[in-house]
Amino acid sequence: MSKKLIIANWKMSPSTYAKAETLFLATLAAARKLSRVETVVCPPFPWLTDISHKYKKSISFGAQDVFWEEGGAYTGEVSPTMLKGSGVKYVIIGHSERRLYLQETDEMINKKMLAALRAGLVPILCVGEWTRKGRPWKWIKNFVRKQLAEDLRGIAKIAGGSQKIVVAYEPVWAISTFGGGPDKPEDSLKIIKFIKGILDSRFQIPDSKVIYGGSVNAKNAVDFLKYPDVEGALVGGASLRAGEFGKILSEANLINAKPSL
Ligand code: PGA
C-alpha cells in the first residue's frame, strides 16, 4: 500500500518563529519514527523558508499558496521557482479560505496549477461544496466535477508527463473554523471515489492521490484513513497541537500496516 499523505496546514499560525520552530521540531520527532506515512508541513511563508533551509531534507515541506508568473512586477507574490529553490515540494492551491477571502476564481486556480506543475511542484488542489443542506448527491457531484474541470484544464499538456497531483476533498462546511463538524467518513468516501474516477478517466493523471480534509483530529482520523481510497488527510487546527498531530500520524502509519478493507 502506498504511504498515506498527512499534511499539516498551519494557516496563519504560529505567531512567532520561536513557536513555529518548537512546533516543527515536535512534529518532526513524531514523523521521523514512521515509515508508512509521508508527512508534509505547510507553515506560513516567513517560517516556511527559514525552517526549510535550516532543516533541509528532514521532512516534506509545502507552501500554502503560489503565484502563476515566474517573475516580474507582482507585488506580494511568490513564484513556483522560488518555492522549488527553497526546498519546497508541495503547494496548496485553491483552499476554500482563499476562494472566500481573496476571491480566488477557478481561472486563477487553474493558472496556479499549471505554473506549479511546470516548476516541478506537487500541487494539492482543494475542492469541495459550500453546503450540503437540502442538496441531492447529484448537485454535490456536479459542483465538484465543475471545479475539477476548470481547475485542471490543460494539465495533460504539460511536458514530461509527470503530473503528480494531490486533490484534497474538503467540504467547506466541514472545515473546523466554519463550525459544521467533520463529514461522515462514508459520505466523503463516496465523493473521493467519484473524484478518483474523474482523475483516471478524464485527465489520465498517472500519479495522483485523493485525500480528505475538514475537522480531522486524533479521535476521528482513523475513521477516514481506514479506507484505502482515502489516501491521506489535510489537517488544519489539529496540526497546531503537536501531540494531537503526532497521534494522527501514528494512526495513519498503523492503518497502513493492516491488510486492506
Ligand atoms: P481543519 O482545517 O482541519 O481545521 O478543519 C482543514 C483545512 O482548512 O485545510
Side-chain angles (χ1 to χ4, degrees), residues 61-109:
F61 290 101
Q64 298 174 19
D65 185 36
V66 68
F67 195 53
W68 57 77
E69 294 291 345
E70 271 313 321
Y74 302 102
T75 302
E77 295 299 337
V78 174
S79 80
T81 317
M82 288 173 185
L83 291 179
K84 187 80 184 160
S86 302
V88 170
K89 177 174 175 189
Y90 290 90
V91 57
I92 299 173
I93 295 179
H95 192 280
S96 58
E97 285 151 12
R98 298 195 60 84
R99 292 180 191 255
L100 178 66
Y101 304 130
L102 282 300
Q103 276 81 51
E104 274 194 13
T105 63
D106 288 303
E107 196 188 339
M108 292 156 82
I109 290 163

Side-chain angles (χ1 to χ4, degrees), residues 46-171:
W47 313 156
L48 169 66
T49 44
D50 282 354
I51 293 175
S52 64
H53 280 129
K54 190 162 170 189
Y55 299 98
K56 262 186 212 130
K57 298 200 174 113
S58 58
I59 205 169
S60 297
F61 290 101
Q64 298 174 19
D65 185 36
V66 68
F67 195 53
W68 57 77
E69 294 291 345
E70 271 313 321
Y74 302 102
T75 302
E77 295 299 337
V78 174
S79 80
T81 317
M82 288 173 185
L83 291 179
K84 187 80 184 160
S86 302
V88 170
K89 177 174 175 189
Y90 290 90
V91 57
I92 299 173
I93 295 179
H95 192 280
S96 58
E97 285 151 12
R98 298 195 60 84
R99 292 180 191 255
L100 178 66
Y101 304 130
L102 282 300
Q103 276 81 51
E104 274 194 13
T105 63
D106 288 303
E107 196 188 339
M108 292 156 82
I109 290 163
N110 178 240
K111 288 202 244 176
K112 293 182 177 196
M113 289 294 295
L114 297 175
L117 286 165
R118 274 194 206 102
L121 294 166
V122 181
I124 303 161
L125 171 67
C126 299
V127 297
E129 77 283 0
W130 295 97
T131 182
R132 230 185 242 171
K133 278 204 184 103
R135 312 285 169 147
W137 282 108
K138 201 170 160 214
W139 182 89
I140 295 158
K141 286 182 174 174
N142 280 340
F143 188 99
V144 171
R145 183 192 290 117
K146 186 168 174 287
Q147 280 187 325
L148 289 172
E150 293 181 12
D151 298 346
L152 298 179
R153 182 170 293 142
I155 68 162
K157 289 199 202 100
I158 295 199
S162 58
Q163 303 96 328
K164 179 169 173 171
I165 75 161
V166 178
V167 175
Y169 172 56
E170 289 211 309

Side-chain angles (χ1 to χ4, degrees), residues 172-197:
V172 179
W173 51 269
I175 290 177
S176 61
T177 42
F178 295 130
D183 195 6
K184 285 199 195 109
E186 59 281 15
D187 286 350
S188 50
L189 178 66
K190 195 187 302 195
I191 302 296
I192 282 174
K193 283 186 170 171
F194 173 72
I195 293 172
K196 271 180 180 295

Side-chain angles (χ1 to χ4, degrees), residues 7-11 92 95-97 126 168 170-172 174-179 181-182 212-217 233-241:
I7 302 167
N9 176 13
W10 289 359
K11 307 193 180 185
I92 299 173
H95 192 280
S96 58
E97 285 151 12
C126 299
E170 289 211 309
V172 179
I175 290 177
S176 61
T177 42
F178 295 130
Y212 169 77
S215 298
V216 173
N217 58 37
L234 180 53
V235 186
S239 72
L240 296 172
R241 299 184 288 274

Side-chain angles (χ1 to χ4, degrees), residues 122 161-166 199 204-209 231:
V122 181
S162 58
Q163 303 96 328
K164 179 169 173 171
I165 75 161
V166 178
L199 294 180
Q204 283 119 36
I205 297 162
D207 192 1
S208 63
K209 270 191 157 76
E231 295 172 285

